[in-house]
Amino acid sequence: MAATRPCLLWARHSGLQIVPQQRPLNLQRIYKRPLSTQKPLSPKPRPYWVPKTDPKPRTESKPLPPSRTQPVASPVAPQVADDAEALVRPRSIGEVPPEQLVAQLRPKEGRPKVTEPLHADAPSIADRDSVSKRESGVTENSPMRLRMEALIKDKQNEIVAALQKLDPTNKFRIDTWSRPAGGGGISCVQQDGEVFEKAGVNTSIVYGTLPRPAIDKMRVNHKALDPDADSLEFFAAGLSLVLHPQNPNAPTVHLNYRYFETMDKDGACNAWWFGGGTDLTPSYLFDEDAIHFHRSIKDACDKHDRSYYPRFKQWCDKYFHIPHRQESRGVGGIFFDDLDVEEKDQEQLFAFVKDCLGSFLLGYLPIITRRKDMPYGDREKEWQQVRRGRYVEFNLVHDRGTSFGLNTPGARVESILMSLPLTARWMYMHEPERGSREERLLNVLKQPVEWV
């Protein structure tokens, strides 16, 4: 008997009526009845797990290969191997219902589940500091880096609130940002207002790693740094402020106070120092303004050390000097950097920085209040733009803070360049008139004055 073709077997089991026909086929005749009315040609198939009886039992059976009768050693977990051993035995699949197959593969009660060990990275110093602030807050017993961060954020809120009262209709834009390596900051900026052409009050928190070349450079001023370390974790926190008024009679003011710390891998402080200062940059000089500003700073310095003001005032005159112009940027204030354990202990220097920050509004608010509504014309506005050009030259060419910020990986450039004025002017071979107010300012900038 000829073997049945596979296509006929498929048709028979599908319930189709096969009609012998010479070509061409008449499809309407082949499928003359709906499938639902046709009687299937074979009985309904049984579930595959019901064993099928064999009317003629086998008399001979070939032995199975050893690989089918003996479990093969496997690196799987012990409980899985034990359960799999039962499945290796030669038996018909119809003898084991599906639910029993699933149950055999499940771990038995009392046996621990074997899972891959988790190799999570250890939390960074920034992560641990965040947890500490969230769970315990910041107290006098907290690390200095957390106390300095809390201080500059409090002063930022205080200063922004005071400046907002001068121009209530022009609200500060507040941007909060974060760094992937840890830290972040808050930038508060006001532009094109009634009082300030541009005003920025920023806080910045930076966690990072110092490479060996940077460590060698810093050891010149900080001998406490480990000379054998190939890299060190560091933390930097600072409050930076620059206010550029609309009125040429009102002076620009700058402030920056910061804290820097290097740490071991466990977060223990390795070396630390404070820096900062504040200075006044007028376009038109009013002696009483300069005297008031310097006196407020001197009062804050004298609370801690009477040598601070004259020493840091001289440092300020030297630092804010524009070499290619042979003049100072403004009428000065104070400036200091790298104050560490060789100067005073950490608590004393922290208290000094705190008082300096607290004196800012006392020194500047009376000045801006007196000058913001004074009349001025095109000549005064033009001179203001020329002086702001000098401000830009210093910040982009000589300022260490700007250079450090722009060269820090992941730095926020918009916050760093916030210090630049909204407008500035460079006029070729510009010279002020002899005997004018503009000339008097230049004479003071070429020879610093002792205001108090």
Side-chain angles (χ1 to χ4, degrees), residues 257-258 274-277 312 315 334-339 352-353 356:
Y257 289 99
R258 56 194 176 273
F274 290 91
F312 297 155
W315 200 342
I334 62 169
F335 176 85
F336 58 89
D337 202 6
D338 301 321
L339 297 189
F352 167 62
V353 169
C356 287

Side-chain angles (χ1 to χ4, degrees), residues 410-448:
R412 191 171 191 263
V413 177
E414 289 295 327
S415 296
I416 297 168
L417 299 182
M418 172 274 301
S419 62
L420 301 181
L422 196 61
T423 60
R425 188 182 184 96
W426 284 266
M427 298 176 65
Y428 181 70
M429 298 298 290
H430 182 270
E431 292 290 340
E433 294 181 6
R434 189 179 297 273
S436 63
R437 295 174 64 197
E438 293 85 359
E439 186 187 47
R440 179 171 184 267
L441 175 69
L442 280 183
N443 292 336
V444 171
L445 297 181
K446 292 180 184 297
Q447 185 62 44

Side-chain angles (χ1 to χ4, degrees), residues 173-187:
R173 171 176 174 171
I174 300 176
D175 294 330
T176 302
W177 49 275
S178 60
R179 299 180 71 253
I186 304 173
S187 298

Side-chain angles (χ1 to χ4, degrees), residues 47-51 86-105:
Y48 70 91
W49 60 85
V50 179
L87 301 178
V88 176
R89 296 195 308 269
R91 60 192 301 185
S92 172
I93 193 171
E95 299 176 8
V96 183
E99 58 271 13
Q100 185 176 344
L101 290 174
V102 175
Q104 289 182 357
L105 291 176

Side-chain angles (χ1 to χ4, degrees), residues 359-420:
S359 70
F360 170 73
L361 291 176
L362 298 175
Y364 185 71
L365 280 183
I367 298 174
I368 188 65
T369 303
R370 284 196 300 264
R371 308 302 173 195
K372 66 184 180 68
D373 297 321
M374 290 183 64
Y376 63 90
D378 293 340
R379 172 179 170 175
E380 288 79 14
K381 195 66 178 177
E382 180 183 274
W383 176 246
Q384 181 194 52
Q385 301 304 300
V386 172
R387 295 312 308 169
R388 286 186 175 168
R390 302 289 199 271
Y391 201 96
V392 172
E393 291 174 20
F394 175 84
N395 278 33
L396 295 183
V397 178
H398 301 293
D399 186 57
R400 288 165 51 187
T402 303
S403 177
F404 175 81
L406 294 177
N407 287 283
T408 299
R412 191 171 191 263
V413 177
E414 289 295 327
S415 296
I416 297 168
L417 299 182
M418 172 274 301
S419 62
L420 301 181

Side-chain angles (χ1 to χ4, degrees), residues 230-286:
D230 292 329
S231 65
L232 282 174
E233 302 296 313
F234 79 87
F235 168 89
L239 169 63
S240 181
L241 171 153
V242 178
L243 309 178
H244 295 289
Q246 290 279 12
N247 196 310
N249 295 291
T252 290
V253 67
H254 161 258
L255 172 147
N256 178 274
Y257 289 99
R258 56 194 176 273
Y259 173 75
F260 194 93
E261 176 181 299
T262 62
M263 302 159 287
D264 298 331
K265 295 295 184 181
D266 60 354
C269 181
N270 180 274
W272 56 268
W273 58 90
F274 290 91
T278 181
D279 62 287
L280 200 67
T281 305
S283 297
Y284 288 94
L285 181 59
F286 294 89

